[in-house]
Amino acid sequence: MFCCTVSALTLWKIITMFELSLLLSWALILMMFAMGLGLAARDFLGLLRSPKLVLITLFAQLFLLPVMAVGIALVSGLTPALSVGLLLVALCPSGSTSNFLTKLGNGNAALSLILTALISLITVFSLPLVLLTLAPMLGYTQVGMSLSFIATVTDIAMHTLLPVIAGMLFRALFIDTARRIESLAIMVS
């Protein structure tokens, strides 16, 4: 009887986690679609004409943040595990939520999207390399990880790029409807 109860609870936990994961996945997709409703191709073309902002921000995200994390870890005397955790957070891309918050704050949503995509792709290579290089310097010697390039690219496409493109296409085809539903879509997501 006890084994059946434990197995049923474990199964319920797995099902609940799967449903929560699916719900969060769809919430991200809706956020990015809502963001696309407010973007046009000209928003991205402006960034291509002056790539300086993109390059400066890429440098800050990929170089300055990890250096600052290492500096904070060394100065504050964090344990090796906490130091590597701080470095890991600094190395990770911001993700879809930052794009949505940029849009809500009337920031440069096109810049945020481009940076999320570029940094997410670069991170597939840079994160393991930098982490494996700097972790021993922070006193951490038990490093082991795997990161799938295909899974990362697929995740970025499904949760960021495709929903934004769909929102932008909807806006281009149905501009009045897009304007009317944009605020509702943002509020719902």
Side-chain angles (χ1 to χ4, degrees), residues 39-107:
L39 292 171
R42 70 178 176 278
D43 298 325
F44 295 96
L45 294 175
L47 292 173
L48 294 176
R49 286 189 211 111
S50 60
K52 187 177 178 181
L53 183 59
V54 174
L55 294 174
I56 289 169
T57 311
L58 278 172
F59 173 77
Q61 173 82 38
L62 296 170
F63 181 74
L64 292 181
L65 280 178
V67 166
M68 288 173 58
V70 168
I72 290 169
L74 292 174
V75 169
S76 65
L78 293 175
T79 65
L82 288 175
S83 296
V84 170
L86 182 62
L87 176 60
L88 186 58
V89 169
L91 291 170
C92 287
S94 59
S96 299
T97 306
S98 70
N99 298 331
F100 185 67
L101 294 174
T102 300
K103 174 75 175 164
L104 286 178
N106 294 320

Side-chain angles (χ1 to χ4, degrees), residues 28 57-58 60-63 65-66 85-99 112-128 147-148 151-153 155-156 160:
L28 277 175
T57 311
L58 278 172
Q61 173 82 38
L62 296 170
F63 181 74
L65 280 178
L86 182 62
L87 176 60
L88 186 58
V89 169
L91 291 170
C92 287
S94 59
S96 299
T97 306
S98 70
N99 298 331
S112 181
L113 273 170
I114 286 173
L115 290 172
T116 296
L118 288 175
I119 291 171
S120 295
L121 291 172
I122 293 168
T123 299
V124 171
F125 303 104
S126 67
L127 189 144
L147 191 60
S148 167
T152 303
V153 171
D155 188 59
I156 293 166
T160 304

